Amino acid sequence: MSFGVILATHAQIGCALLEGAEMLAGKQERARALALTENKSVAQFEAEFNEAYDELAAVYDHVVVLCDIYGGTPFNVTSRAKLSGKQLTAFTGVNLPIVIDLLFSGDLTPDEVRAHVAEQAATSVQEIKVELAAEDEDDLDL
């Protein structure tokens, strides 16, 4: 099953995530980044969301939405879309590893998407631990 992806975020976060992912995965026709900016009303953002959903739903088997923060406007717009009957799988807490994983995984069912996102969410945020090299070593011990 193929799926389209909507990144629904505040400011240009989704646009930057998509741009970063495309550095690795190439141009993504099946992804849309929607930015809620201070110059855009909620109604305008919701109209953009619905347009992106309709475009992707016409081409792909299902649509996956990734939002930035739980309870924010992009999350609320996504929730209203689900409540209105739009068939989509949605998550909050988007990050670049999740976007990249989904863009490299084009043929997943909604349940497989859920598993991929859960796996990436569990491993994508980790503390960086490094040790300084001894004075006579040139490299960091990572």
Side-chain angles (χ1 to χ4, degrees):
M1 294 187 81
S2 63
F3 61 92
V5 176
I6 296 175
L7 303 172
T9 65
H10 292 86
Q12 301 297 323
I13 295 168
C15 299
L17 288 170
L18 182 56
E19 182 180 348
E22 287 180 337
M23 287 180 67
L24 298 170
K27 181 72 176 149
Q28 296 295 310
E29 296 300 323
R30 66 189 181 99
R32 305 287 185 277
L34 307 178
L36 176 64
T37 63
E38 59 187 35
N39 298 326
K40 189 180 294 179
S41 71
V42 173
Q44 289 170 315
F45 182 79
E46 194 154 12
E48 287 179 4
F49 181 96
N50 289 328
E51 182 179 331
Y53 174 85
D54 290 343
E55 286 175 9
L56 294 171
V59 176
Y60 300 98
D61 297 317
H62 60 107
V63 176
V64 175
V65 180
L66 303 171
C67 301
D68 52 0
I69 32 180
Y70 185 90
T73 300
F75 168 90
N76 293 332
V77 166
T78 302
S79 296
R80 279 194 296 276
K82 285 182 69 86
L83 289 170
S84 74
K86 288 187 174 20
Q87 298 298 308
L88 55 93
T89 306
F91 303 91
T92 186
V94 64
N95 62 38
L96 188 56
I98 290 171
V99 174
I100 290 169
D101 180 72
L102 290 181
L103 293 180
F104 275 116
S105 305
D107 294 324
L108 300 176
T109 67
D111 285 341
E112 291 169 331
V113 167
R114 288 180 189 94
H116 272 253
V117 171
E119 181 180 333
Q120 283 299 321
T123 61
S124 64
V125 177
Q126 298 183 33
E127 180 182 2
I128 298 173
K129 296 180 181 181
V130 296
E131 296 178 21
L132 292 177
E135 287 184 30
D136 61 336
E137 295 181 27
D138 293 330
D139 297 326
L140 289 177
D141 184 19
L142 299 179

